[in-house]
Amino acid sequence: MENFSNKPAVSPEFEARFHDVEENLKVIRSRIARAAELSGRSADDIILMAVTKTVPVEVINHALSLGVDYMGENRVQELNSKYDHLDREGRHIHLIGHLQTNKVKQVVGRVEMIQSIDSVRVAQAVAARSRELGIVTNALVEVNIGYEQNKSGISPEAAHELICEISEFDGINVQGLMAIPPADCEIAQTIKYFEEIYKLFIDIGSKNTHNNSYTMKHLSMGMSADYAEAIMHGSTMVRVGTALFGRRNYNK
């Protein structure tokens, strides 16, 4: 339980937002704990990732100070504009949005994990840049579970083959799957997608042998509207933005 009584003074501009984040975080953690319990796990088994698209650095750093150690940015340009101002010590920064090959050099070395690998070409570029820097970049393969034409991600049927191929590249470490069900679904249909991606996650993990260098450690699924349901259906990492930071104006 965090002690919020000894907070440093903040400007009036952010004081209300800081308070909202604190209250929202209490609700989120309570729901995560309950969902984890219902799925036979502990809240400690679930990673809460703050999705920080359009969120000011001051508000992000406040969330980090409250023990939200994982943050995910959607866009490389926005990540880089905030990077030097983030309280990064001991934190885990992920890229969760689509990555183009021409942006790889701008992000590799700044993030611990890229959650949106969906092609051999992008994986090759990430691996090559990682080798240049003498590092290994963790990755999740993004699965287009709803077969949406306007959304990135590999088809479920092609996911295992892609993972096997790119896991052989030096400089990249495949650790699981990420998926975003279609946004216009009723919750019952969303749950069916969660069940499908979890089944795929388990199936790919069961096919792993000592000859393969990938692991099925993380299943990143569930966002503000459905993170509790995602946890109850196998998610190990939920990506929460609106429920933590409030509604944002994406047209800014």
Side-chain angles (χ1 to χ4, degrees):
M1 180 74 67
E2 286 75 24
N3 180 1
F4 301 137
S5 61
N6 296 319
K7 296 176 296 183
V10 298
S11 68
E13 178 185 0
F14 292 112
E15 188 171 2
R17 293 196 68 175
F18 286 3
H19 175 75
D20 288 345
V21 169
E22 291 166 9
E23 294 304 309
N24 292 341
L25 183 58
K26 292 176 185 177
V27 173
I28 292 166
R29 284 177 167 159
S30 176
R31 293 194 69 203
I32 287 175
R34 178 58 177 158
E37 180 183 6
L38 290 172
S39 67
R41 293 179 289 168
S42 162
D44 293 337
D45 298 326
I46 312 301
I47 293 172
L48 168 61
M49 169 166 288
V51 176
T52 53
K53 183 178 180 181
T54 78
V55 180
V57 169
E58 293 87 347
V59 180
I60 297 171
N61 283 338
H62 186 64
L64 296 175
S65 76
L66 301 176
V68 181
D69 294 332
Y70 287 76
M71 61 163 284
E73 273 289 350
N74 292 79
R75 298 171 179 168
V76 173
Q77 183 176 356
E78 185 171 354
L79 169 65
N80 287 340
S81 71
K82 298 173 178 177
Y83 187 79
D84 289 336
H85 307 285
L86 293 169
D87 293 337
R88 303 192 307 274
E89 185 67 29
R91 317 301 185 190
H92 308 273
I93 302 176
H94 292 199
L95 181 73
I96 60 176
H98 181 64
L99 177 61
Q100 298 174 315
T101 54
N102 63 352
K103 298 288 181 65
V104 166
K105 289 188 176 181
Q106 299 175 35
V107 71
V108 172
R110 292 197 154 193
V111 296
E112 177 182 293
M113 176 180 283
I114 297 170
Q115 294 199 17
S116 52
I117 300 294
D118 62 359
S119 71
V120 172
R121 184 183 178 193
V122 171
Q124 284 176 326
V126 170
R129 179 57 175 167
S130 298
R131 292 194 300 270
E132 288 176 2
L133 298 176
I135 63 173
V136 174
T137 300
N138 296 326
L140 302 183
V141 165
E142 181 179 0
V143 178
N144 187 341
I145 192 65
Y147 299 91
E148 297 174 271
Q149 293 185 354
N150 61 344
K151 187 179 287 184
S152 57
I154 193 77
S155 71
E157 295 81 7
H160 183 235
E161 182 179 355
L162 176 65
I163 288 171
C164 288
E165 183 170 357
I166 68 177
S167 66
E168 298 304 313
F169 300 160
D170 292 334
I172 194 168
N173 179 22
V174 180
Q175 294 192 339
L177 303 177
M178 185 268 270
I180 306 173
D184 56 353
C185 290
E186 297 291 334
I187 191 62
Q189 182 59 51
T190 298
I191 287 172
K192 289 182 180 179
Y193 283 121
F194 288 156
E195 292 172 342
E196 290 175 16
I197 195 67
Y198 179 70
K199 183 176 182 297
L200 180 66
F201 176 75
I202 295 298
D203 183 57
I204 293 175
S206 70
K207 293 176 180 177
N208 197 5
T209 69
H210 294 298
N211 294 324
N212 294 324
S213 56
Y214 69 84
T215 61
M216 288 291 106
K217 179 179 180 181
H218 296 298
L219 176 55
S220 175
M221 67 178 188
M223 298 187 292
S224 287
D226 52 31
Y227 63 88
E229 289 81 5
I231 292 167
M232 287 187 284
H233 291 85
S235 177
T236 68
M237 182 185 299
V238 292
R239 308 179 307 275
V240 180
T242 299
L244 179 60
F245 296 114
R247 294 196 175 277
R248 290 158 284 172
N249 181 1
Y250 292 113
N251 296 317
K252 284 184 178 180

